[in-house]
Amino acid sequence: MPRAEAGSAKAIGNAIKAKGLGRLRWYCQVCQKQCRDENGFKMHSQSEGHIRAMLVVGENAGRHINDFSQQFQKEFLQLLSRKHGTQQVRANQVYNEYIQDKNHLHMNSTRWVSLTESVKYLGREGIVRAEENEKGWWISWVDNTPKALARQAEAQKRERADMDDEQRQRKQLKEQIERAKVQAEALREQEEAKAQGLKREEGAPKVALSISLGGGKRSPAGDELSGAGRRGGNCRGNEA
């Protein structure tokens, strides 16, 4: 069937169709050709150019599959790190963004048969953090660049320093509490000893204090006693 004339309606229609994404099963990664239907892919597979390319790939199929896998992984991770950073995102969302580029490397040419297998591999290798829940697989990029590792080391250093300061403060606080307990115990013992010294021994005689105030009036009894004393003294003197 002859090719549509340039500028014709059919040629424009074909160009519009070619801009969109085609089905994965009708894409030839070796020739990097997207066919629009099954018949087109069948015709391409029988073409001389495709057969020669497949013979070259067949000579070392393992190396080509490994190269395709590494290219897919590199491009997929570049998109993940550039657009989403280290935030957690659905793996299917990242893949849909990846295949928006018409010239992307298709997964059917890699070692992985599905996106799930690819995500599991990246998780096992520690390249991403992969978690599965009821909504599917979620991934987050692990930043292993030298700058990121330096930032992590600095953060860990600060964390250790903060932890050492906190432990030192706790130790000082504990020592202060112990000293306060010792001082409180010593003070309590002093107060108990002082209180025991002021206690009167049981059965001890009472002590009575008399206070004489000078210049006051003397009682008659006192006067009589004083006179008797004076008389007694006189008698003793007369007898002598």
Side-chain angles (χ1 to χ4, degrees):
M1 185 175 181
R3 186 181 297 270
E5 185 177 354
S8 63
K10 187 172 183 180
I12 295 174
N14 291 339
I16 294 174
K17 291 179 181 179
K19 287 182 180 179
L21 293 175
R23 292 197 177 183
L24 183 61
R25 61 178 178 173
W26 296 336
Y27 182 83
C28 177
Q29 184 64 57
V30 176
C31 302
Q32 297 183 0
K33 180 177 178 59
Q34 176 68 59
C35 301
R36 288 199 295 269
D37 52 27
E38 185 176 0
N39 184 58
F41 185 75
K42 180 180 178 181
M43 296 299 294
H44 170 74
S45 301
Q46 296 175 355
S47 64
E48 184 179 354
H50 174 78
I51 293 174
R52 284 200 303 268
M54 290 302 296
L55 289 175
V56 173
V57 172
E59 293 177 359
N60 197 344
R63 181 176 63 83
H64 284 82
I65 293 175
N66 185 59
D67 292 343
F68 288 147
S69 301
Q70 290 182 356
Q71 183 180 347
F72 173 83
Q73 177 180 323
K74 179 181 178 181
E75 295 174 353
F76 185 83
L77 292 175
Q78 283 179 346
L79 176 62
L80 175 63
S81 61
R82 184 176 64 252
K83 191 167 184 178
H84 302 284
T86 56
Q87 296 179 353
Q88 192 177 53
V89 64
R90 289 184 61 185
N92 195 46
Q93 177 183 343
V94 182
Y95 181 73
N96 289 334
E97 294 170 354
Y98 172 73
I99 64 176
Q100 293 302 314
D101 182 7
K102 182 181 176 181
N103 297 319
H104 70 277
L105 193 143
H106 291 63
M107 186 174 287
N108 61 351
S109 59
T110 67
R111 71 180 71 172
W112 305 293
V113 296
S114 64
L115 179 63
T116 300
E117 295 298 324
S118 175
V119 169
K120 289 181 179 179
Y121 169 80
L122 295 176
R124 287 194 302 267
E125 294 296 320
I127 301 172
V128 301
R129 296 184 181 89
E131 297 179 3
E132 185 183 16
N133 56 26
E134 64 278 1
K135 295 184 179 180
W137 281 94
W138 294 73
I139 58 175
S140 58
W141 176 54
V142 178
D143 191 355
N144 290 326
T145 59
K147 290 183 178 180
L149 294 176
R151 288 195 302 267
Q152 292 177 3
E154 185 65 24
Q156 291 176 357
K157 185 178 179 180
R158 287 197 302 268
E159 184 178 355
R160 286 195 297 268
D162 294 341
M163 188 177 297
D164 292 342
D165 291 340
E166 184 178 356
Q167 291 177 351
R168 185 163 52 251
Q169 290 175 0
R170 288 182 179 178
K171 183 178 180 180
Q172 292 176 354
L173 181 60
K174 185 176 180 181
E175 292 175 353
Q176 291 175 1
I177 293 173
E178 293 295 333
R179 286 197 299 268
K181 287 182 178 179
V182 172
Q183 293 175 358
E185 183 67 21
L187 182 62
R188 186 179 63 81
E189 292 177 355
Q190 290 177 2
E191 291 178 351
E192 290 179 354
K194 187 176 180 180
Q196 290 176 359
L198 293 176
K199 276 186 178 179
R200 183 175 61 83
E201 295 183 1
E202 189 174 352
K206 294 183 179 180
V207 178
L209 299 177
S210 63
I211 300 175
S212 176
L213 301 176
K217 293 182 179 180
R218 284 181 289 184
S219 63
D223 292 340
E224 291 177 359
L225 290 174
S226 299
R230 286 194 297 271
R231 286 195 300 271
N234 292 334
C235 291
R236 285 193 297 270
N238 293 330
E239 290 177 358

